[in-house]
Amino acid sequence: MSLINKSYYALGTAINLSVAAPASEADLDAGYALIQHFEDKLTVNRNESEVMSINHNAGIKAVAVPEDTYGLIKRAVLVSRKYLGFNVAIGPLVKLWKIGFKGANKPSDANIKARLKLIDPERIQLDDDKQTVFLEEKGMEIDLGGIAKGYIADEIKQLWLKRGVETGIIDLGGNVLLVGPSQHADKEWNVGVQNPIKPRSVSLGVIHTTAKSIGTSGIYERRLVIDGHEYHHMFDSKTGYPIKNNLESVTIISDRSIDGEVWSTIGFYQGIEKGKALIEVQPGIEAVFVTKDLKAVVTSGLEDKFSLL
């Protein structure tokens, strides 16, 4: 029996939701409605949202936000303060380069250095009692782009489970969260890891897995080319420039999609050697590192679960 599938557009990307009967199109639409709900709350690509309210009041006052938004921001801030490569305060740098958006450019070195002063996660004040967030200096901006998709995917899964969905796929622009057993005889899933030099959906390899999250941070879809030099959209908070290493992508396999987003960013920043060592000691987290010369390196838990095509 084939899955019931429907495509949508949200979060700046194509969304594909699928369920198996007896679930129905109504479950797909309920998932999409939840995406729209969270996009309205969390986006930084519109002038108004709960997160933009915090950003607009940077250097002015603390802003109270609902419990779910506060919890997500707090998680992102605490991860950022580990300084492993994930930084929720990266907003001013992202909006300076604009890579992947209209007006993408290579800023001056002086402008980049000026923005570095605005991306310190220690300067985000959190008040658990009042559930307020205060950015200490005007110009600071929270950007949840590195974590929101994972959070939303996890919320859709919980919604679907409450609605009785037994099998499904939540695909938020390449970040995939699997629900329940697949329809294959062994009940497991086969999920492709994108080949970075081929068109979308052409895989370099395949992960054979139970229902997990499979999330990728890669540099192959959003690039800026100036005078023959390529710049990508994943930034180093120390230099203000795109991260320099030999990686095209890092794919994380985890139970929760939010963990996949955080660790794919950290894994990309740390590179294969340090990133792999860090991930090996995280319970339930596995990774596929793909290099610019298309070599794949996997963590120990994937050695018999990942195969090149």
Side-chain angles (χ1 to χ4, degrees), residues 80 82-87 90 93 97 109 112-117 119-121 234-244 269-270 274:
S80 301
K82 294 181 184 296
Y83 298 99
L84 294 172
F86 178 94
N87 185 359
I90 200 80
L93 205 53
W97 284 82
D109 195 54
I112 291 171
K113 282 190 168 65
R115 296 292 172 110
L116 291 181
K117 298 173 184 173
I119 63 170
D120 182 357
M234 295 182 67
F235 296 103
D236 184 333
S237 293
K238 292 179 181 173
T239 67
Y241 285 84
I243 298 166
K244 288 184 177 178
Y269 180 82
Q270 295 289 334
K274 290 181 181 176

Side-chain angles (χ1 to χ4, degrees), residues 160-174:
W160 279 3
L161 293 176
K162 286 178 186 172
R163 292 174 67 97
V165 174
E166 295 174 358
T167 291
I169 304 172
I170 301 158
D171 179 355
L172 306 186

Side-chain angles (χ1 to χ4, degrees), residues 96-214:
L96 181 65
W97 284 82
K98 298 186 177 72
I99 294 177
F101 298 93
K102 188 177 179 182
N105 71 116
K106 179 180 178 294
S108 70
D109 195 54
N111 278 339
I112 291 171
K113 282 190 168 65
R115 296 292 172 110
L116 291 181
K117 298 173 184 173
L118 300 173
I119 63 170
D120 182 357
E122 299 290 346
R123 303 183 71 196
I124 301 173
Q125 294 182 17
L126 302 171
D127 187 320
D128 288 349
D129 294 330
K130 297 177 181 174
Q131 291 186 355
T132 60
V133 184
F134 177 51
L135 309 181
E136 292 182 358
E137 186 169 337
K138 197 170 181 58
M140 289 181 70
E141 288 199 32
I142 284 176
D143 185 337
L144 295 173
I147 196 169
K149 271 189 194 174
Y151 173 80
I152 294 169
D154 290 333
E155 291 295 315
I156 295 172
K157 180 175 179 177
Q158 292 308 311
L159 172 72
W160 279 3
L161 293 176
K162 286 178 186 172
R163 292 174 67 97
V165 174
E166 295 174 358
T167 291
I169 304 172
I170 301 158
D171 179 355
L172 306 186
N175 280 37
V176 175
L177 180 58
L178 305 167
V179 179
S182 82
Q183 295 181 314
H184 297 295
D186 65 359
K187 307 297 184 188
E188 296 208 351
W189 299 83
N190 295 309
V191 181
V193 173
Q194 175 68 37
N195 185 323
I197 63 169
K198 297 288 187 180
R200 189 82 180 247
S201 300
V202 176
S203 300
L204 178 75
V206 173
I207 298 163
H208 189 64
T209 180
T210 54
K212 296 278 187 180
S213 162
I214 297 94

Side-chain angles (χ1 to χ4, degrees), residues 8 17 25-35 156 159-160 163:
Y8 309 87
L17 301 178
E25 198 169 297
D27 296 301
L28 303 178
D29 289 340
Y32 178 57
L34 197 61
I35 293 171
I156 295 172
L159 172 72
W160 279 3
R163 292 174 67 97

Side-chain angles (χ1 to χ4, degrees), residues 261-306:
E261 280 227 274
V262 168
W263 279 101
S264 62
T265 301
I266 293 174
F268 192 93
Y269 180 82
Q270 295 289 334
I272 293 178
E273 187 176 343
K274 290 181 181 176
K276 188 179 176 205
L278 270 172
I279 290 166
E280 289 283 12
V281 297
Q282 305 302 318
I285 309 282
E286 304 291 345
V288 180
F289 296 83
V290 176
T291 65
K292 288 178 177 171
D293 56 357
L294 301 184
K295 290 178 181 170
V297 175
V298 302
T299 49
S300 56
L302 288 182
E303 287 173 356
D304 58 350
K305 294 286 186 181
F306 176 79

